[in-house]
Amino acid sequence: MTRVILQPRKAQPFLARHPWVFAGAIAQVEGTAADGDVVSVFTHDGRFIAYGIYNSRSKIRVRLYSWDQNIHIDRNFFRQRLIQAIQLRHEVLRLNQPESGYRLVFSEADFLSGLVVDRYNEWLVVQLSALGLVQRREWLVEALRELVPCRGIYLRAEKGIGQLEGIDLQDGLLWGEEPPGELEIVEHGVRYLVSVTAGQKTGFYLDQRENRWCVSQLCTGKRVLDAFCYTGGFALQAGRQGAAEVLGIDGSEGAIALAQRNAVLNSLSGTVRFDCADVFDRLAELVQAGERYDVVILDPPKFARSRTTVPEALRGYRRLYHLALRLLVPGGLLVSCCCTGVILPEELEEVLTQTAVALRRDVHILERRGPAPDHPIALTCPETGYLKCLVCHVL
Ligand code: SAH
């Protein structure tokens, strides 16, 4: 097997089981490795670190999968990893209910770098973001079919990933029946239509499931603003838990159209309204109009991909906090979500502190939350802990 030898003093992260070996850490490749080949990775002085899959077209030159020299990366290896991932969701978390939506496999968090599998009712939706796994997709599909009874397995090609990994992928069926235009899932009693073929990501933001539930418990009788609402995630759960009035805002016409249909589906169109607009503009208009809310939820998209654009991303948060605090009644609640992994929790809290001080408001953090447990955080790959959710009391 081809050996990849690391630079002296560059091996520590990989001995500590981080799975991404960038080109800069590599001293030499002994032998030839085609893209997608299994290689073994060694320290400069000949200690085995792990087996991985090589890709010269990616900045992540080797993705590591097995740190045990006796466990090789073969068909059975992937099957065992899938069994492990599925056991967590089905046997530990008991998410295996009819009509449910949850993440079955979460890439590095399940020690399967480059593979995401979401289950929506009777369909599985797969994202492949590593060339080595694209090449082995037959193995993965076969194991999934066997381990999770389903009607079909559909591939959603992640935007931009083709270029990053040298993969040529299109959305489409990998196995079984085509999913219908919309699937229905039930989350803590709320029915959501999900378009797995045309929606964002694989169709729904499953990572926010428990945050939607937790926040909804604080919304009974309240006037709620759900900014960046997508297809109505937080808004509809708040409505179901008895919010007096809910306004959801999102910039995507498709998302708002589905949100409106979801409101009808849950008999909530009397209290939950949706508006297609830019959140920054619409919040500024609501401030101008003197509107006030008891609860403001902010769940913006990723604002930065790397540390270099974090300052700009934080300026976005500063603007949002400014607007949200002015819309909140004294004693109101701010829910601030952040899925930008490269922003640190303390950076976000610092911006909120500064904004609150500038506006002479006192803020308590009631809860620092993270993703739902079907999106576990691998200690050895901190990037898997990207989602932050602050529940704050604003005086
Ligand atoms: N809270 C949602 C998920 C939000 S994802 C849920 O629980 O399902 C982020 C959303 O922000 C996307 O739906 C995207 O369409 C929207 N978005 C991004 N930039 C926006 C902007 N400037 N104004 C309004 N919506 C925006």
Side-chain angles (χ1 to χ4, degrees), residues 98-113:
E99 300 198 308
S100 49
Y102 54 91
R103 179 151 293 187
L104 270 170
V105 182
F106 182 25
S107 200
E108 287 79 14
D110 286 295
F111 316 104
L112 282 168
S113 180

Side-chain angles (χ1 to χ4, degrees), residues 231-242:
T231 55
F234 283 91
L236 294 165
Q237 192 59 268
R240 185 175 149 90
Q241 298 306 316

Side-chain angles (χ1 to χ4, degrees), residues 234-386:
F234 283 91
L236 294 165
Q237 192 59 268
R240 185 175 149 90
Q241 298 306 316
E245 194 189 324
V246 187
L247 173 61
I249 304 171
D250 200 280
S252 155
E253 274 178 34
I256 288 296
L258 206 50
Q260 275 156 348
R261 290 177 51 208
N262 283 336
V264 173
L265 189 66
N266 289 280
S267 311
L268 286 168
S269 39
T271 48
V272 186
R273 282 192 305 126
F274 292 101
D275 189 0
C276 186
D278 178 84
V279 163
F280 293 89
D281 295 346
R282 185 50 51 90
L283 294 196
E285 287 164 18
L286 293 170
V287 169
Q288 278 299 313
E291 294 287 344
R292 288 291 178 275
Y293 294 87
D294 302 303
V295 182
V296 174
I297 301 153
L298 302 173
D299 186 15
K302 205 192 260 189
F303 280 164
R305 293 202 167 273
S306 74
R307 285 294 302 172
T308 53
T309 48
V310 164
E312 198 182 314
L314 290 175
R315 281 197 288 280
Y317 272 93
R318 192 179 301 275
R319 273 183 67 203
L320 287 174
Y321 287 153
H322 227 273
L323 294 162
L325 291 186
R326 292 173 71 190
L327 287 169
L328 276 170
V329 297
L333 296 174
L334 171 69
V335 178
S336 169
C337 306
C338 175
C339 63
T340 306
V342 291
I343 296 181
L344 303 172
E346 49 274 27
E347 291 173 324
L348 204 62
E349 289 178 20
E350 175 67 17
V351 171
L352 179 55
T353 307
Q354 290 167 356
T355 314
V357 169
L359 293 175
R360 299 168 183 273
R361 304 289 291 270
D362 281 314
V363 177
H364 293 133
I365 294 177
L366 304 181
E367 277 199 69
R368 289 190 175 105
R369 300 178 57 89
D374 49 330
H375 297 64
I377 300 164
L379 283 175
T380 49
C381 184
E383 289 85 350
T384 54
Y386 62 99

